Structures are given as structure tokens and as C-alpha cells.
Amino acid sequence: MLKPVERLKVELMTHGMVVSTAAAEALAGFDRGKPLTLADYASTSGIALELEGGIWVNAPIHEHNPNFVDQPDHFLEYEDGRYFVRSGRREVSASPVPVPDYHDETHPETGRLYTDYAITHTDRVRISPIQGCKFVCTFCDLPYDKRYERMPTEGLVASIGRALEDEALRAHHVLISGGVPRDEDWPWLLDVYRAVTATYPDVPVDVMMVPVPGRLVARDLHEAGIHGVSVNLEMFDTERSRKIMHHKWKLGHDVWFDFIDEAVKYFGPGNVRSVIMVGLEPMETTLAGIRSLAERGCEPVLSPFRPDPATPLRSHAPPSVEELEELYQRAEEIVDAAGVKLGPRCIPCMHNTLTFPDGSEAYYNSQDLLPLRATR
């Protein structure tokens, strides 16, 4: 059974929250006018909070998710210099994650906003070398919201440096994700990976990408200095995935599993992950996918489906609190039996996943990783 604060996280992910006027003014820096959230991806469209007990959550708000955040029972309040989430008579202390200072700054050489290249969530900065995507998945806003574009390497690399020194929200590790490249852009993408690790050799850098055969190669990533990889299976139901993420479905499960088997050899325990979305297929099918990943030494990351208003699935409801609680408990049994953990290992990065720290050394704050790259 979930602890009360853990259940609050699940409720916030499912139903969202209202931000009071006082809390909104404080988050905006009173006279600095910061946005409440950079709201870039569906799963990061809300406000990240650290709840009491070190529980992290990304709570959607009506402004960015009017399609399902409607009169929630939870309110982010600010009184006497402190934030808390109020739910009826219950109050839980909370620490909202501010928007980074670079949110409105421009890279001097390219003339583009740093946020065109990079977004910081909690303590991780994510860069997207490819805007848009070669693939079309109906739960993802990339093919609907952004045209395909290869971003300048110098801007990508420089944006990481800016995020690592941001005074409002300092990043401690890097995720390189973004859309799936066209065939001719894969060699360039590997060069981006190398440029980032060469420029920031003491900062852990992870890659999140589709394992297109012959294009994404575990050995190449390891040799480039990448710390860990996430190849997101997302759905296990073949018929539903055919309709919802046709291009990924065409690759077939074996492509993911073959890559994972190879990646585990190079990157080791805890550094190979795969996101499974919760709420787009029957629970038993999702659990079967979790089991298939865990048995290979890959750590499943449970991502509750959050409908993006820009996508065809905008009206598909998120999974219920009860469904998420049951799935989490059953998934924990599966990964325990397989000798792995639910990902991610980084505690602040749990903000948009169905994961909770368990007090063990398996889960950590990402700054604890910083010596790793220096000693590799």
C-alpha cells in the first residue's frame, strides 16, 4: 500500500492541481515575470514539486492541460514564505522547482533562445538535437507541434553549459533525446553525443532514443562516453501499438530486446532503461512488458499516460489513481524477482514517473554521479 504522500503524488499526476494567486506570484519571482512551467513535453507539462519525504512529482495544471485538468481537489498554496499542497483539510509541505533563469536568454552566436535547445527539469537538462520526428506516434506532440529540424551543434553544447551554471535551477546531469533522425542524420547525431561528452567529461550524459537497427549501436554509445541509455518500448500490446505508434510497431519487439541485451553488457545494472506508458493498454499486457524488460536486466520506467492537447489522443483519459496504485505494486513484485529496480535511479528524475525512493542506495540524487565520469 502506498504511503499517504506517495498516493498524493499519484493523485496530482492523475488530476492535476490549481496554483493559487499567491503561489503563482511567488513562482514568477514577483516582479521578474517567469512562467510557471516551460511545459515542453506531455509528461513534463506541469509544475515539478518536491513533496515532504523526498517525493517528487510533476503536477499538470489547467493552463497547459485543459483537456483533463478540471476542478482538481489539490491546490498549491504560498503562505508565510512556504509552499504547501492543500487538499481539503490536509496540508503537505512542498518545494516547487523554479523555471531556470535562462528561460528567456538568447545564445549569442546562433541568436536563438537557449530553450530552443535545452530544457531543465529538476536537476537534469535535456537537449533535443532533432526537433520534430521522423516517426509519428499519436500520444507524442513532436510530429504535430514541431517541424523537423536539425539543431546547430554549437547551440546544443553551449546550452548545456548555461544550464550547468544556472543560479535558479542548476543542472547536474544531461539527457540527450529529441525526435528520431532521418537516415542521413544518424552519423551527425553520434557526433553530437561525442561533442557533449568531450566538452563535459565530468558530467553524466544519458541518451534516450529509438534503437533503429544499424543506427543506434550500444558499443558506439559506450565508446562515445555515454553514461546510460533509455530505449522506450512504451507499449507491449502489438495491436494497439500498431494503431498508436505505427512506425515503432513496425520495428518489432525483437529490435528493442536485441538492443537491450547488448546494452546491458556495456552499461551494466541500473544504466539501461525503457519507458512503459501506463493507461493505453490492458494492465496485464503492461505487466507482461515490464516482465520482459526486467528479465533482461533492463529497468522499466512507468510513465502514466498524460494526454497532450496537440495530439489525436487529447481526449483519452489518464489512468485512474486506483489503476496506478495496483500496477505499481505488481510491478514492484516483478522487478524484485528479476533483481532490478523500477527506474529512474535519480530521485529528482522520478517527478513524472510512477517511482518512489525506497531508502536504499540504489536510488540517489544525480550529483552523486559526478565522480563517475572522471574515473571511467
Side-chain angles (χ1 to χ4, degrees):
M1 181 177 294
L2 295 179
K3 300 174 184 177
V5 69
E6 293 173 342
R7 186 174 175 86
L8 174 60
K9 168 179 175 167
V10 177
E11 291 173 355
L12 286 169
M13 295 177 78
T14 303
H15 302 299
M17 68 181 182
V18 176
V19 181
S20 72
T21 300
E25 290 176 351
L27 284 171
F30 296 104
D31 59 349
R32 295 188 64 179
K34 281 188 174 183
L36 295 179
T37 171
L38 295 179
D40 58 332
Y41 278 2
S43 64
T44 57
S45 61
I47 297 173
L49 309 168
E50 183 181 6
L51 304 174
E52 60 186 42
I55 302 299
W56 292 75
V57 61
N58 187 285
I61 56 177
H62 180 81
E63 288 83 346
H64 295 288
N65 282 111
N67 52 327
F68 73 94
V69 179
D70 183 30
Q71 298 182 324
D73 295 329
H74 307 290
F75 295 79
L76 179 64
E77 305 281 7
Y78 180 79
E79 293 179 5
D80 300 323
R82 75 178 189 97
Y83 293 94
F84 57 92
V85 175
R86 176 170 57 83
S87 310
R89 295 182 179 180
R90 181 179 58 169
E91 294 183 1
V92 173
S93 297
S95 298
V97 178
V99 167
D101 283 341
Y102 70 76
H103 74 96
D104 59 354
E105 295 178 4
T106 301
H107 180 253
E109 295 181 15
T110 65
R112 300 184 68 153
L113 288 169
Y114 280 112
T115 52
D116 287 345
Y117 302 102
I119 301 289
T120 303
H121 294 292
T122 64
D123 64 354
R124 179 187 70 199
V125 59
R126 191 205 73 239
I127 62 168
S128 298
I130 299 293
Q131 297 290 310
C133 189
K134 179 185 176 181
F135 288 4
V136 177
C137 301
T138 57
F139 56 78
C140 179
D141 68 327
L142 281 180
Y144 301 99
D145 242 5
K146 297 177 174 65
R147 65 180 179 86
Y148 186 95
E149 180 182 5
R150 202 172 86 171
M151 301 297 288
T153 303
E154 62 270 26
L156 293 164
V157 174
S159 68
I160 293 173
R162 179 64 188 86
L164 292 173
E165 65 183 20
D166 195 86
E167 293 187 2
L169 184 61
R170 190 180 304 276
H172 294 289
H173 61 139
V174 179
L175 175 67
I176 309 178
S177 60
V180 177
R182 294 169 180 164
D183 289 346
E184 64 270 21
D185 289 333
W186 278 98
W188 168 83
L189 183 62
L190 183 58
D191 286 342
V192 172
Y193 298 159
R194 293 180 177 132
V196 170
T197 57
T199 306
Y200 308 104
D202 296 329
V203 179
V205 179
D206 286 7
V207 163
M208 178 181 288
M209 183 48 62
V210 174
V212 175
R215 301 296 188 179
L216 194 74
V217 179
R219 181 184 60 191
D220 292 346
L221 297 176
H222 188 261
E223 291 178 352
I226 297 301
H227 170 260
V229 293
S230 183
V231 288
N232 300 338
L233 189 62
E234 288 172 321
M235 299 181 67
F236 201 61
D237 185 296
T238 54
E239 183 57 28
R240 296 193 186 204
S241 62
R242 182 182 68 83
K243 297 176 181 178
I244 291 175
M245 51 178 208
H246 186 77
H247 295 92
K248 290 186 176 183
W249 165 82
K250 286 178 67 176
L251 292 177
H253 287 164
D254 286 347
V255 165
W256 263 263
F257 296 148
D258 288 347
F259 180 92
I260 287 167
D261 290 340
E262 190 73 6
V264 168
K265 297 176 186 177
Y266 283 103
F267 293 99
N271 294 322
V272 181
R273 302 180 300 279
S274 184
V275 168
I276 291 280
M277 279 195 303
V278 182
L280 290 180
E281 61 187 1
M283 184 182 299
E284 296 301 328
T285 310
T286 300
L287 290 167
I290 292 169
R291 184 174 293 104
S292 294
L293 294 170
E295 289 174 348
R296 288 173 166 81
C298 176
E299 305 209 324
V301 178
L302 309 182
S303 178
F305 170 70
R306 182 179 297 183
D308 188 288
T311 68
L313 292 184
R314 64 181 68 89
S315 299
H316 193 290
S320 70
V321 173
E322 292 72 23
E323 289 173 320
L324 291 176
E325 184 169 7
E326 179 184 350
L327 181 107
Y328 171 75
Q329 292 169 344
R330 297 177 67 182
E332 277 279 271
E333 295 173 359
I334 291 171
V335 297
D336 283 348
V340 299
K341 306 290 287 187
L342 289 177
R345 295 290 187 104
C346 173
I347 294 171
C349 290
M350 295 176 180
H351 69 109
N352 60 349
T353 70
L354 191 61
T355 321
F356 305 97
D358 59 7
S360 73
E361 294 183 357
Y363 294 126
Y364 44 71
N365 288 298
S366 60
Q367 51 263 49
D368 299 337
L369 285 177
L370 291 178
L372 283 181
R373 289 296 304 281
T375 57
R376 285 181 66 143

